[in-house]
Amino acid sequence: MKRYGWTVSSWGIALVLTLPILALIVEALLPAEDIFRHLWASVLPAYIGNTFWLVSLVMGLSLLFGLPAAWLMAMCELPGRRWLQWALILPLAMPSYIVAFVYTDLLDYSGPVQLALRDWFGWQSAGDYYFPPIRSLGGAALVLGLVLYPYVYLLGRTAFLEQSTSLIQSSRLLGCTPWQSFCRVSLPLARPAIAVGLSLVAMETLAEFGTVNFFAVNTLTTAVYDTWLGYGSLQAAAKISAIMLLVVMVLLSLERMSRKRQQVFQKSMGHEQEAGYRLTGGRKWAALAFCWGLVGLGFLLPFVILCYHAVRYFDQAWNARFFEYSLNSLVLSAVVAVLGLAIALLLGMTHRLKGKRHTVLPLRLAAMGYALPGTVLAIGVLVPLTMMDFAINDLALWLSLPEPGLLLTGTMTAIAFGYLVRFGAMAIGAVESSLNKVSPSLDMVTQTMGYGPAAMIRRVHLPLIRKGMLAGALLVFIECMKELPAALLLRPFNFQTLATYVYQFVSDEQLELGALPAIVIVLVGLIPLIFLNRSLEQHH
Amino acid sequence: MTRPFFLTAAAALLASSFTAQAAAEEVNVYSNRQEFLIKPMLDTFTKETGIDVNVVFIKDGMGERLEREGRLSPADLVLTVDVSRLMDVVDKDLTQPVQSDVLEQNIPAQYRDADGKWFAVTTRARAIYSSVDRVGKRDDITYEELADPKYKGKICTRSGKHPYNVALTASMIAEHGSEYTKNWLQGLKDNLARKPQGGDRDQIKAIRDGVCDYALGNSYYYGVMLTNDDQREAAESVYINFPNQGDRGTHVNISAVAMTQHAKNKDAALKLMEFLAGDEAQHLYASANHEYPVKPGVDPSDLVKAWGDFKSDTLPLTDVAKHAQEAIKLVDEVKYDL
């Protein structure tokens, strides 16, 4: 038994995390031909097109924003870099539906920007000039790109920092320009991490609901909602979800296949500060403008607007409920982040210790939930958990005891489980990509020296992947703070998260009143960012 | 039958922690009305009766959740907005009939189920707003004429799939049939000044900004905007018109309350239902939310009264709800939102 302990527990956890998806697949197999055919004939092709373009655009923008920023922060000496390098992560703490709300307010026809333009140029009506509409596919892509690029940035920068200095120095000695060195050495080495970041961006976009709904862009996620709630057909909704799941799996396998043959291991822990390039003159200013521009648009501007509302409506928003919900969110997110990290470590280590073939599947299975829109996932969570609840109650009846009621779905268990299913992928991805950088020869050496797996993990692997672990747990934490659709469906009585609280106001077009709790979501999200930054600094 | 001792002991321990909580009287409510909108009524109820009210705000998927929870569901009452969402819960047989003289006296027959499976507590009118500057007051306007090509580029609406618009479309199907309604939707879509977007208030702002001259919107949003310092100016740039006064009357939708099939706190739940249909709560609904009370004799707020009386469509709301799915299909078929 002991020999199989790792593998068995990996499979066990992976299966538990896959339960919601299995439930949905079962639903998807149930007949719903009429509605599905009607959807195919009317709107589904357009939704699929929209989804394709949105995901592509957001991935492109995230790369365009995140990759240069990651490289600049890891490799270059810039004034104020200490601040900038963590400021660039800040947009991640912003719920995208809030950023969307702020930008529509600003850039809509009635917003201050267009009003000012009309004033200056004397335009009378919308027909007198062209202004790109913010509530459009492009607008949604821009907002999502601004909020999601930190995934690419964060994982990319970590990858660049972990790169061995000697490799880069060698490439320079062999006559590479900084640009060539970047293209030939740094970028290929960082590709796995960037690919993980991009796939996070893609899946997040695919599952995105608040922003696209707000921008009147109909995607597959919208279709799932409409089908489930409008047509009342969970089966047809599950069919569409299954299509989405398929898309994600194809994306992920393509990404993995593309770097299958490429396995590079680094022996160095990273490089010292002096390895950085020193930018001067125009380049310096361009780099600074680029990075601060990202921070400004993705974080500072929306944040300042939130603060403005929060100050004006402070008296109404500052109350006991606000504190209670803050604590709820904090505890819930921390619990899920720790659990997620534990699962990621178990799965990642099993995969490493027990060979590649039969342990990679649990790893992939456990990460699938991320691709599901929150509401769909919530249904998937409710199905198996209510079944268990009924089993528990039936058992109680059989034992002539009072029924305990909904022990799982009526408590925080359901919501925490839902979050774990949805965001476990982020911890798994981060841990896996860090582990992949640890050379297997280290394992061999350790084993030769007579260490068992436990000692090897504790003394070799954990210290080496600490940053990856921290980044993974951090991502999970922030996502939990912001998560909305699943929370709306899975929370028990008298339990609100900050996100559901804010959403109540936003959905009633009263962001003013939700501004203060929204700021807390952002600020609480910042605390772990500071920790992360500290740990990175100490390392170098 | 022998049962393992430890299992019984463990279960007993577990169960005791739950029975202890059930002592105080309470009502559990699933609501797709937002908490801050109904909080004043519920707080007043608790103050007067000592009965605690626990609420979960469930925007979407209430029926689905109740269905899954079955007999174990903790919910005693559901508070819904929009008749088709209500009927979704009722048709799945998730509510139970309630017998109450108070409810029957306070709520006119048109606004409650004959079997007592649901009761409306407020109504709201689907109004047509018109620009003060460019159009003026339009007492004669109808929903039908919004599809007339003379309105090309002059109309704003939110998504055709929003429950409020679905209900309106469903009422058109009930009145004119599917074929006519599809053409009407197509005509309405062709007349839109911009892609459907935003909420009801955004449509009013769009009129102020000159994007369009007419917009569909619920009556209470207008009231909310008029009492909000930031939004008053936008609200004052439009008139509220109650359509179809010359024929069947303005389409109205409801917010409603119903007792769930497996309600455990039936007595307390009934008390809350009766309270919501009583004078005090009806007044609160009117003054805080600018909705129309259903109880005869309770006046709307002064602000709402100032908009004038109007004739409302007397078509039974259940007939409207019956056509909701078909309405969504039509919205998809004419690609209203695309």
Side-chain angles (χ1 to χ4, degrees):
Chain A
M1 186 60 217
K2 204 183 165 203
R3 280 183 58 194
Y4 298 108
W6 285 93
T7 318
V8 170
S9 35
S10 267
W11 272 102
I13 283 181
L15 285 181
V16 169
L17 290 182
T18 323
L19 274 181
I21 294 163
L22 291 178
L24 279 172
I25 291 175
V26 171
E27 289 283 352
L29 293 175
L30 299 174
E33 306 304 331
D34 283 357
I35 289 172
F36 204 65
R37 204 173 311 132
H38 158 75
L39 287 172
W40 261 121
S42 52
V43 285
L44 214 47
Y47 288 0
I48 291 174
N50 278 347
T51 308
F52 174 79
W53 286 114
L54 187 71
V55 171
S56 310
L57 273 173
V58 176
M59 281 171 73
L61 284 174
S62 304
L63 206 57
L64 195 69
F65 296 159
L67 191 61
W71 189 81
L72 285 170
M73 286 303 109
M75 302 292 201
C76 299
E77 196 49 60
L78 278 171
R81 190 182 73 147
R82 272 172 53 94
W83 290 99
L84 198 50
Q85 66 179 0
W86 69 270
L88 277 162
I89 320 175
L90 295 181
L92 207 55
M94 274 279 172
S96 54
Y97 57 89
I98 289 176
V99 179
F101 190 96
V102 166
Y103 278 111
T104 37
D105 242 23
L106 275 180
L107 299 177
D108 246 350
Y109 185 80
S110 41
V113 173
Q114 291 204 49
L115 272 177
L117 286 176
R118 286 198 292 273
D119 265 5
W120 283 338
F121 296 102
W123 294 321
Q124 293 304 314
S125 72
D128 292 350
Y129 65 104
Y130 174 77
F131 193 87
I134 179 72
R135 292 189 197 235
S136 60
L137 191 92
L142 194 66
V143 165
L144 289 173
L146 276 176
V147 181
L148 295 176
Y149 82 83
Y151 288 128
V152 175
Y153 165 73
L154 197 60
L155 291 163
R157 183 178 69 128
T158 315
F160 287 136
L161 281 176
E162 282 175 351
Q163 279 172 9
S164 155
T165 333
S166 51
L167 279 176
I168 295 157
Q169 281 166 345
S170 310
S171 71
R172 297 299 311 279
L173 281 172
L174 288 167
C176 283
T177 63
W179 175 245
Q180 283 170 327
S181 165
F182 169 75
C183 291
R184 291 182 175 179
V185 180
S186 298
L187 191 59
L189 281 173
R191 214 171 84 186
I194 292 166
V196 171
L198 270 183
S199 60
L200 289 178
V201 169
M203 289 197 281
E204 188 87 346
T205 308
L206 206 58
E208 164 65 37
F209 181 70
T211 307
V212 290
N213 190 34
F214 203 68
F215 281 8
V217 177
N218 289 287
T219 64
L220 281 174
T221 314
T222 345
V224 171
Y225 274 67
D226 286 351
T227 313
W228 178 47
L229 302 165
Y231 292 108
S233 173
L234 183 59
Q235 290 80 30
K239 276 191 213 304
I240 301 173
S241 312
I243 297 179
M244 293 171 71
L245 206 60
L246 210 66
V247 171
V248 171
M249 283 161 73
V250 168
L251 275 177
L252 285 179
S253 4
L254 278 179
E255 179 263 311
R256 278 176 202 288
M257 265 162 57
S258 76
R259 58 187 165 92
K260 198 168 184 183
R261 290 209 205 112
Q262 171 216 29
Q263 275 201 331
V264 191
F265 305 103
Q266 297 156 62
K267 292 175 187 72
S268 156
M269 264 305 298
H271 57 77
E272 294 78 46
Q273 290 287 29
E274 51 276 17
Y277 300 112
R278 199 168 292 276
L279 295 185
T280 50
R283 288 181 183 184
K284 180 177 80 180
W285 291 113
L288 281 175
F290 176 77
C291 292
W292 280 113
L294 284 179
V295 179
L297 292 177
F299 183 80
L300 291 177
L301 182 65
F303 191 71
V304 165
I305 289 174
L306 281 181
C307 290
Y308 167 75
H309 287 311
V311 169
R312 285 181 65 209
Y313 290 83
F314 186 79
D315 292 339
Q316 280 163 273
W318 184 260
N319 53 41
R321 270 186 286 162
F322 158 69
F323 287 108
E324 185 193 331
Y325 302 153
S326 305
L327 195 66
N328 284 349
S329 280
L330 205 67
V331 171
L332 183 64
S333 307
V335 166
V336 175
V338 170
L339 287 176
L341 185 59
I343 288 173
L345 282 174
L346 176 74
L347 293 174
M349 288 300 177
T350 308
H351 180 47
R352 190 173 181 93
L353 294 177
K354 297 289 167 185
K356 306 289 171 191
R357 285 271 160 70
H358 62 294
T359 52
V360 73
L361 196 56
L363 207 61
R364 302 284 164 266
L365 282 178
M368 278 195 332
Y370 190 52
L372 291 177
T375 301
V376 181
L377 174 76
I379 310 165
V381 166
L382 280 177
V383 175
L385 286 194
T386 32
M387 273 164 69
M388 285 184 229
D389 269 334
F390 272 92
I392 294 170
N393 281 271
D394 289 342
L395 180 71
L397 274 182
W398 181 64
L399 295 167
S400 324
L401 288 165
E403 288 184 291
L406 297 167
L407 278 183
L408 302 175
T409 54
T411 61
M412 265 177 61
T413 317
I415 196 171
F417 178 60
Y419 281 6
L420 208 53
V421 171
R422 182 138 154 68
F423 300 125
M426 315 189 99
I428 292 171
V431 166
E432 194 196 355
S433 111
S434 285
L435 266 180
N436 280 345
K437 279 191 226 89
V438 180
S439 161
S441 54
L442 268 180
D443 296 21
M444 295 171 204
V445 171
T446 325
Q447 276 165 338
T448 320
M449 290 168 74
Y451 285 112
M456 177 165 78
I457 289 168
R458 199 178 68 243
R459 304 185 63 161
V460 179
H461 291 140
L462 288 188
L464 284 177
I465 63 167
R466 225 173 56 194
K467 269 178 286 176
M469 283 165 58
L470 203 62
L474 173 79
L475 291 177
V476 177
F477 183 90
I478 297 178
E479 283 305 317
C480 290
M481 288 294 296
K482 292 187 297 178
E483 208 288 337
L484 181 69
L488 283 176
L489 278 163
L490 293 174
R491 67 212 167 92
F493 276 109
N494 302 328
F495 184 90
Q496 291 239 43
T497 64
L498 280 179
T500 61
Y501 189 53
V502 170
Y503 180 70
Q504 284 194 4
F505 295 114
V506 173
S507 69
D508 207 56
E509 302 165 51
Q510 302 190 67
L511 179 72
E512 313 86 70
L513 292 174
L516 185 65
I519 287 175
V520 175
I521 296 183
V522 176
L523 289 183
V524 170
L526 295 186
I527 297 167
L529 289 181
I530 295 166
F531 275 117
L532 175 80
N533 186 54
R534 265 242 185 101
S535 125
L536 286 173
E537 301 255 294
Q538 278 164 2
H539 237 97
H540 300 288
Chain B
M1 193 188 308
T2 53
R3 292 158 194 164
F5 168 74
F6 72 93
L7 198 60
T8 316
L13 201 67
L14 202 61
S16 66
S17 64
F18 283 87
T19 42
Q21 291 173 356
E25 218 182 348
E26 59 177 3
V27 188
N28 294 323
V29 180
Y30 282 181
S31 165
N32 48 37
R33 304 225 65 181
Q34 301 186 10
E35 199 179 337
F36 64 86
L37 284 176
I38 51 172
K39 200 79 187 156
M41 294 89 183
L42 302 181
D43 285 348
T44 314
F45 174 73
T46 303
K47 214 186 291 165
E48 286 179 9
T49 59
I51 300 171
D52 286 328
V53 184
N54 304 314
V55 187
V56 187
F57 167 61
I58 301 179
K59 185 168 175 258
D60 301 312
M62 188 192 283
E64 199 63 42
R65 179 159 170 178
L66 279 170
E67 209 173 14
R68 298 267 166 214
E69 291 174 346
R71 71 178 158 88
L72 297 177
S73 176
D76 301 306
L77 289 185
V78 291
L79 276 177
T80 66
V81 277
D82 171 56
V83 66
S84 39
R85 284 197 236 184
L86 169 69
M87 294 316 290
D88 178 48
V89 178
V90 175
D91 290 342
K92 282 179 175 156
D93 215 18
L94 299 167
T95 63
Q96 62 172 302
V98 166
Q99 264 299 317
S100 156
D101 292 341
V102 176
L103 288 174
E104 275 165 35
Q105 265 167 27
N106 288 8
I107 302 173
Q110 193 202 345
Y111 294 122
R112 58 183 157 86
D113 179 43
D115 297 329
K117 285 186 173 175
W118 57 267
F119 299 86
V121 286
T122 62
T123 65
R124 54 280 290 284
R126 197 77 184 141
I128 297 175
Y129 294 101
S130 58
S131 163
V132 169
D133 294 340
R134 297 181 298 281
V135 180
K137 187 89 178 140
R138 287 289 313 273
D139 290 323
D140 58 328
I141 203 161
T142 63
Y143 298 114
E144 283 80 358
E145 69 177 277
L146 292 183
D148 191 311
K150 74 180 177 201
Y151 290 107
K152 190 155 186 65
K154 292 193 167 152
I155 300 173
C156 288
T157 76
R158 72 196 300 171
S159 161
K161 286 194 190 171
H162 190 275
Y164 300 150
N165 280 344
V166 170
L168 174 63
T169 306
S171 80
M172 292 292 284
I173 299 175
E175 179 74 20
H176 297 292
S178 193
E179 195 62 36
Y180 177 95
T181 307
K182 185 172 174 180
N183 290 330
W184 174 75
L185 266 179
Q186 184 66 54
L188 181 59
K189 183 196 172 189
D190 294 341
N191 287 343
L192 291 179
R194 62 176 186 189
K195 208 168 100 174
Q197 56 186 259
D200 280 4
R201 276 184 251 203
D202 289 321
Q203 315 311 323
I204 292 177
K205 288 181 197 160
I207 293 182
R208 173 198 63 189
D209 299 330
V211 176
C212 43
D213 294 344
Y214 299 87
L216 280 168
N218 272 2
S219 52
Y220 62 88
Y221 284 111
Y222 185 55
V224 172
M225 291 178 82
L226 282 170
T227 49
N228 177 314
D229 288 341
D230 288 342
Q231 298 170 356
R232 186 175 304 120
E233 174 238 339
E236 283 170 350
S237 72
V238 304
Y239 286 120
I240 183 168
N241 304 292
F242 297 102
N244 294 71
Q245 290 305 298
D247 45 66
R248 66 182 189 281
T250 300
H251 167 67
V252 294
N253 209 324
I254 53 169
S255 76
V257 62
M259 193 182 285
T260 63
Q261 176 75 56
H262 300 285
K264 288 173 190 67
N265 308 298
K266 278 173 123 170
D267 292 344
L270 183 61
K271 275 183 208 156
L272 179 53
M273 289 174 91
E274 289 176 346
F275 174 82
L276 290 177
D279 284 332
E280 194 173 5
Q282 290 284 307
H283 267 303
L284 276 172
Y285 267 123
S287 57
N289 299 356
H290 307 291
E291 294 173 83
Y292 291 94
V294 290
K295 184 171 185 252
V298 177
D299 282 338
S301 67
D302 289 340
L303 183 67
V304 173
K305 244 191 288 182
W307 306 339
D309 285 334
F310 66 94
K311 181 167 98 184
S312 56
D313 193 348
T314 52
L315 180 78
L317 288 167
T318 42
D319 287 356
V320 173
K322 253 181 245 161
H323 296 288
Q325 285 228 7
E326 203 182 340
I328 297 175
K329 267 194 181 171
L330 293 183
V331 170
D332 269 349
E333 274 169 23
V334 304
K335 300 189 167 72
Y336 190 86
D337 288 342
L338 289 174

